[in-house]
PDB file of all heavy atoms in Angstrom:
ATOM      1  N   ALA A  36      -9.594  57.917  34.596  1.00  0.00           N
ATOM      2  CA  ALA A  36      -8.197  58.078  35.009  1.00  0.00           C
ATOM      3  C   ALA A  36      -7.486  59.019  34.049  1.00  0.00           C
ATOM      4  O   ALA A  36      -7.560  58.856  32.824  1.00  0.00           O
ATOM      5  CB  ALA A  36      -7.499  56.719  35.038  1.00  0.00           C
ATOM      6  N   ARG A  55     -17.929  97.988  30.632  1.00  0.00           N
ATOM      7  CA  ARG A  55     -16.842  97.863  29.671  1.00  0.00           C
ATOM      8  C   ARG A  55     -15.573  97.457  30.399  1.00  0.00           C
ATOM      9  O   ARG A  55     -15.289  97.952  31.492  1.00  0.00           O
ATOM     10  CB  ARG A  55     -16.655  99.194  28.945  1.00  0.00           C
ATOM     11  CG  ARG A  55     -15.587  99.207  27.873  1.00  0.00           C
ATOM     12  CD  ARG A  55     -15.650 100.510  27.074  1.00  0.00           C
ATOM     13  NE  ARG A  55     -15.629 101.680  27.940  1.00  0.00           N
ATOM     14  CZ  ARG A  55     -14.490 102.239  28.400  1.00  0.00           C
ATOM     15  NH1 ARG A  55     -13.308 101.712  28.065  1.00  0.00           N
ATOM     16  NH2 ARG A  55     -14.546 103.316  29.166  1.00  0.00           N
ATOM     17  N   LEU A 194      -8.814  65.243  25.319  1.00  0.00           N
ATOM     18  CA  LEU A 194      -7.554  64.573  24.994  1.00  0.00           C
ATOM     19  C   LEU A 194      -7.162  64.946  23.571  1.00  0.00           C
ATOM     20  O   LEU A 194      -7.909  64.662  22.630  1.00  0.00           O
ATOM     21  CB  LEU A 194      -7.693  63.046  25.095  1.00  0.00           C
ATOM     22  CG  LEU A 194      -7.694  62.423  26.492  1.00  0.00           C
ATOM     23  CD1 LEU A 194      -8.968  62.779  27.240  1.00  0.00           C
ATOM     24  CD2 LEU A 194      -7.571  60.906  26.396  1.00  0.00           C
ATOM     25  N   ALA A 227     -13.230  66.274  13.075  1.00  0.00           N
ATOM     26  CA  ALA A 227     -12.004  66.231  13.872  1.00  0.00           C
ATOM     27  C   ALA A 227     -12.297  66.122  15.366  1.00  0.00           C
ATOM     28  O   ALA A 227     -11.388  65.933  16.166  1.00  0.00           O
ATOM     29  CB  ALA A 227     -11.171  67.479  13.602  1.00  0.00           C
ATOM     30  N   VAL A 230     -17.074  63.539  20.725  1.00  0.00           N
ATOM     31  CA  VAL A 230     -17.598  63.779  22.067  1.00  0.00           C
ATOM     32  C   VAL A 230     -18.213  62.486  22.585  1.00  0.00           C
ATOM     33  O   VAL A 230     -19.031  61.860  21.894  1.00  0.00           O
ATOM     34  CB  VAL A 230     -18.637  64.910  22.075  1.00  0.00           C
ATOM     35  CG1 VAL A 230     -19.253  65.068  23.466  1.00  0.00           C
ATOM     36  CG2 VAL A 230     -17.997  66.222  21.637  1.00  0.00           C
ATOM     37  N   ASP A 269     -16.458  74.251  40.775  1.00  0.00           N
ATOM     38  CA  ASP A 269     -17.124  73.862  42.015  1.00  0.00           C
ATOM     39  C   ASP A 269     -18.598  74.269  41.929  1.00  0.00           C
ATOM     40  O   ASP A 269     -19.024  74.914  40.975  1.00  0.00           O
ATOM     41  CB  ASP A 269     -16.430  74.457  43.239  1.00  0.00           C
ATOM     42  CG  ASP A 269     -16.433  75.980  43.251  1.00  0.00           C
ATOM     43  OD1 ASP A 269     -17.231  76.589  42.515  1.00  0.00           O
ATOM     44  OD2 ASP A 269     -15.624  76.564  43.996  1.00  0.00           O
ATOM     45  N   LEU A 284     -43.085  86.722  34.074  1.00  0.00           N
ATOM     46  CA  LEU A 284     -44.078  87.664  34.582  1.00  0.00           C
ATOM     47  C   LEU A 284     -45.206  87.655  33.564  1.00  0.00           C
ATOM     48  O   LEU A 284     -45.025  88.097  32.425  1.00  0.00           O
ATOM     49  CB  LEU A 284     -43.472  89.058  34.719  1.00  0.00           C
ATOM     50  CG  LEU A 284     -44.328  90.105  35.441  1.00  0.00           C
ATOM     51  CD1 LEU A 284     -44.569  89.687  36.894  1.00  0.00           C
ATOM     52  CD2 LEU A 284     -43.647  91.465  35.389  1.00  0.00           C
ATOM     53  N   GLU A 303     -49.794  88.014  28.062  1.00  0.00           N
ATOM     54  CA  GLU A 303     -48.446  88.441  27.685  1.00  0.00           C
ATOM     55  C   GLU A 303     -47.463  87.770  28.638  1.00  0.00           C
ATOM     56  O   GLU A 303     -47.568  87.920  29.860  1.00  0.00           O
ATOM     57  CB  GLU A 303     -48.311  89.958  27.762  1.00  0.00           C
ATOM     58  CG  GLU A 303     -46.954  90.452  27.283  1.00  0.00           C
ATOM     59  CD  GLU A 303     -46.950  91.944  27.017  1.00  0.00           C
ATOM     60  OE1 GLU A 303     -47.357  92.347  25.908  1.00  0.00           O
ATOM     61  OE2 GLU A 303     -46.550  92.693  27.933  1.00  0.00           O
ATOM     62  N   SER A 311     -27.944  86.563  26.804  1.00  0.00           N
ATOM     63  CA  SER A 311     -27.876  86.083  25.421  1.00  0.00           C
ATOM     64  C   SER A 311     -29.090  85.204  25.140  1.00  0.00           C
ATOM     65  O   SER A 311     -29.841  84.846  26.043  1.00  0.00           O
ATOM     66  CB  SER A 311     -26.580  85.300  25.175  1.00  0.00           C
ATOM     67  OG  SER A 311     -26.567  84.096  25.925  1.00  0.00           O
ATOM     68  N   PRO A 317     -37.169  79.118  21.727  1.00  0.00           N
ATOM     69  CA  PRO A 317     -38.060  77.958  21.830  1.00  0.00           C
ATOM     70  C   PRO A 317     -38.668  77.767  23.209  1.00  0.00           C
ATOM     71  O   PRO A 317     -39.788  77.256  23.323  1.00  0.00           O
ATOM     72  CB  PRO A 317     -37.161  76.779  21.443  1.00  0.00           C
ATOM     73  CG  PRO A 317     -35.760  77.277  21.521  1.00  0.00           C
ATOM     74  CD  PRO A 317     -35.819  78.746  21.265  1.00  0.00           C
ATOM     75  N   THR A 400     -55.481  70.284  16.284  1.00  0.00           N
ATOM     76  CA  THR A 400     -56.662  69.648  16.851  1.00  0.00           C
ATOM     77  C   THR A 400     -56.245  68.598  17.873  1.00  0.00           C
ATOM     78  O   THR A 400     -55.354  67.774  17.614  1.00  0.00           O
ATOM     79  CB  THR A 400     -57.500  68.973  15.746  1.00  0.00           C
ATOM     80  OG1 THR A 400     -57.899  69.973  14.802  1.00  0.00           O
ATOM     81  CG2 THR A 400     -58.739  68.308  16.331  1.00  0.00           C
ATOM     82  N   PRO A 407     -60.794  63.799  30.473  1.00  0.00           N
ATOM     83  CA  PRO A 407     -61.977  63.569  31.313  1.00  0.00           C
ATOM     84  C   PRO A 407     -61.922  62.241  32.070  1.00  0.00           C
ATOM     85  O   PRO A 407     -62.292  62.177  33.238  1.00  0.00           O
ATOM     86  CB  PRO A 407     -63.134  63.605  30.304  1.00  0.00           C
ATOM     87  CG  PRO A 407     -62.631  64.493  29.200  1.00  0.00           C
ATOM     88  CD  PRO A 407     -61.171  64.161  29.090  1.00  0.00           C
ATOM     89  N   ARG A 408     -61.451  61.180  31.403  1.00  0.00           N
ATOM     90  CA  ARG A 408     -61.383  59.885  32.082  1.00  0.00           C
ATOM     91  C   ARG A 408     -60.334  59.904  33.191  1.00  0.00           C
ATOM     92  O   ARG A 408     -60.555  59.366  34.286  1.00  0.00           O
ATOM     93  CB  ARG A 408     -61.078  58.770  31.075  1.00  0.00           C
ATOM     94  CG  ARG A 408     -61.009  57.398  31.726  1.00  0.00           C
ATOM     95  CD  ARG A 408     -60.856  56.280  30.718  1.00  0.00           C
ATOM     96  NE  ARG A 408     -60.739  54.987  31.387  1.00  0.00           N
ATOM     97  CZ  ARG A 408     -60.575  53.822  30.760  1.00  0.00           C
ATOM     98  NH1 ARG A 408     -60.538  53.786  29.431  1.00  0.00           N
ATOM     99  NH2 ARG A 408     -60.472  52.703  31.454  1.00  0.00           N
ATOM    100  N   ILE A 409     -59.176  60.513  32.916  1.00  0.00           N
ATOM    101  CA  ILE A 409     -58.119  60.603  33.931  1.00  0.00           C
ATOM    102  C   ILE A 409     -58.648  61.294  35.180  1.00  0.00           C
ATOM    103  O   ILE A 409     -58.494  60.811  36.314  1.00  0.00           O
ATOM    104  CB  ILE A 409     -56.898  61.376  33.372  1.00  0.00           C
ATOM    105  CG1 ILE A 409     -56.152  60.555  32.308  1.00  0.00           C
ATOM    106  CG2 ILE A 409     -55.954  61.799  34.505  1.00  0.00           C
ATOM    107  CD1 ILE A 409     -55.210  59.526  32.825  1.00  0.00           C
ATOM    108  N   ALA A 425     -64.371  67.944  53.861  1.00  0.00           N
ATOM    109  CA  ALA A 425     -63.735  67.871  55.178  1.00  0.00           C
ATOM    110  C   ALA A 425     -62.769  69.042  55.386  1.00  0.00           C
ATOM    111  O   ALA A 425     -62.667  69.592  56.494  1.00  0.00           O
ATOM    112  CB  ALA A 425     -62.996  66.544  55.326  1.00  0.00           C
ATOM    113  N   GLY A 434     -59.039  78.962  63.730  1.00  0.00           N
ATOM    114  CA  GLY A 434     -57.764  78.433  64.214  1.00  0.00           C
ATOM    115  C   GLY A 434     -56.620  78.799  63.292  1.00  0.00           C
ATOM    116  O   GLY A 434     -56.814  79.274  62.172  1.00  0.00           O
ATOM    117  N   VAL A 465     -24.946  42.477  15.979  1.00  0.00           N
ATOM    118  CA  VAL A 465     -25.178  41.164  16.579  1.00  0.00           C
ATOM    119  C   VAL A 465     -23.896  40.369  16.376  1.00  0.00           C
ATOM    120  O   VAL A 465     -23.484  40.123  15.237  1.00  0.00           O
ATOM    121  CB  VAL A 465     -26.375  40.439  15.927  1.00  0.00           C
ATOM    122  CG1 VAL A 465     -26.586  39.087  16.601  1.00  0.00           C
ATOM    123  CG2 VAL A 465     -27.641  41.287  16.016  1.00  0.00           C
ATOM    124  N   ASP A 494     -36.920  42.793  23.093  1.00  0.00           N
ATOM    125  CA  ASP A 494     -38.255  42.416  22.650  1.00  0.00           C
ATOM    126  C   ASP A 494     -38.260  42.067  21.161  1.00  0.00           C
ATOM    127  O   ASP A 494     -38.923  41.116  20.730  1.00  0.00           O
ATOM    128  CB  ASP A 494     -39.217  43.573  22.934  1.00  0.00           C
ATOM    129  CG  ASP A 494     -40.672  43.191  22.747  1.00  0.00           C
ATOM    130  OD1 ASP A 494     -41.230  42.557  23.651  1.00  0.00           O
ATOM    131  OD2 ASP A 494     -41.230  43.514  21.684  1.00  0.00           O
ATOM    132  N   ASP A 626     -49.573  76.888  58.488  1.00  0.00           N
ATOM    133  CA  ASP A 626     -49.604  77.570  59.780  1.00  0.00           C
ATOM    134  C   ASP A 626     -49.753  79.059  59.479  1.00  0.00           C
ATOM    135  O   ASP A 626     -48.845  79.691  58.933  1.00  0.00           O
ATOM    136  CB  ASP A 626     -48.304  77.302  60.531  1.00  0.00           C
ATOM    137  CG  ASP A 626     -48.294  77.891  61.938  1.00  0.00           C
ATOM    138  OD1 ASP A 626     -48.968  78.911  62.157  1.00  0.00           O
ATOM    139  OD2 ASP A 626     -47.576  77.350  62.802  1.00  0.00           O
ATOM    140  N   ARG A 645     -48.801  52.719  26.755  1.00  0.00           N
ATOM    141  CA  ARG A 645     -48.449  51.340  27.113  1.00  0.00           C
ATOM    142  C   ARG A 645     -46.989  51.356  27.561  1.00  0.00           C
ATOM    143  O   ARG A 645     -46.068  51.386  26.748  1.00  0.00           O
ATOM    144  CB  ARG A 645     -48.644  50.411  25.922  1.00  0.00           C
ATOM    145  CG  ARG A 645     -48.491  48.936  26.271  1.00  0.00           C
ATOM    146  CD  ARG A 645     -48.554  48.069  25.037  1.00  0.00           C
ATOM    147  NE  ARG A 645     -49.865  48.078  24.414  1.00  0.00           N
ATOM    148  CZ  ARG A 645     -50.124  47.526  23.230  1.00  0.00           C
ATOM    149  NH1 ARG A 645     -49.156  46.950  22.530  1.00  0.00           N
ATOM    150  NH2 ARG A 645     -51.346  47.575  22.738  1.00  0.00           N
ATOM    151  N   PRO A 697     -44.459  64.386  50.501  1.00  0.00           N
ATOM    152  CA  PRO A 697     -45.823  64.174  51.003  1.00  0.00           C
ATOM    153  C   PRO A 697     -45.857  63.028  52.010  1.00  0.00           C
ATOM    154  O   PRO A 697     -45.210  61.990  51.804  1.00  0.00           O
ATOM    155  CB  PRO A 697     -46.607  63.816  49.736  1.00  0.00           C
ATOM    156  CG  PRO A 697     -45.807  64.397  48.607  1.00  0.00           C
ATOM    157  CD  PRO A 697     -44.381  64.290  49.028  1.00  0.00           C
ATOM    158  N   ARG A 703     -50.109  56.272  40.582  1.00  0.00           N
ATOM    159  CA  ARG A 703     -50.545  55.182  39.703  1.00  0.00           C
ATOM    160  C   ARG A 703     -50.386  55.588  38.257  1.00  0.00           C
ATOM    161  O   ARG A 703     -50.522  56.764  37.903  1.00  0.00           O
ATOM    162  CB  ARG A 703     -52.017  54.825  39.966  1.00  0.00           C
ATOM    163  CG  ARG A 703     -52.298  54.179  41.303  1.00  0.00           C
ATOM    164  CD  ARG A 703     -53.726  53.659  41.383  1.00  0.00           C
ATOM    165  NE  ARG A 703     -54.714  54.723  41.196  1.00  0.00           N
ATOM    166  CZ  ARG A 703     -55.586  54.778  40.195  1.00  0.00           C
ATOM    167  NH1 ARG A 703     -55.585  53.837  39.237  1.00  0.00           N
ATOM    168  NH2 ARG A 703     -56.472  55.756  40.114  1.00  0.00           N
ATOM    169  N   SER A 708     -54.293  52.950  29.287  1.00  0.00           N
ATOM    170  CA  SER A 708     -53.973  53.871  28.190  1.00  0.00           C
ATOM    171  C   SER A 708     -53.063  53.223  27.156  1.00  0.00           C
ATOM    172  O   SER A 708     -52.187  52.420  27.484  1.00  0.00           O
ATOM    173  CB  SER A 708     -53.295  55.127  28.738  1.00  0.00           C
ATOM    174  OG  SER A 708     -52.923  55.992  27.683  1.00  0.00           O
ATOM    175  N   SER A 737     -52.915  77.846  47.913  1.00  0.00           N
ATOM    176  CA  SER A 737     -53.751  79.010  47.632  1.00  0.00           C
ATOM    177  C   SER A 737     -55.114  78.888  48.323  1.00  0.00           C
ATOM    178  O   SER A 737     -55.614  79.849  48.902  1.00  0.00           O
ATOM    179  CB  SER A 737     -53.927  79.145  46.118  1.00  0.00           C
ATOM    180  OG  SER A 737     -54.640  80.303  45.795  1.00  0.00           O
ATOM    181  N   GLY A 770     -56.246  91.643  56.152  1.00  0.00           N
ATOM    182  CA  GLY A 770     -56.327  93.108  56.225  1.00  0.00           C
ATOM    183  C   GLY A 770     -55.578  93.643  57.416  1.00  0.00           C
ATOM    184  O   GLY A 770     -55.804  94.771  57.869  1.00  0.00           O
TER     185      GLY A 770
END
Side-chain angles (χ1 to χ4, degrees):
R55 182 171 52 85
L194 283 70
V230 175
D269 62 17
L284 189 63
E303 184 165 276
S311 67
T400 300
R408 181 174 178 181
I409 289 279
V465 181
D494 191 79
D626 184 331
R645 188 186 293 171
R703 291 189 301 117
S708 177
S737 184

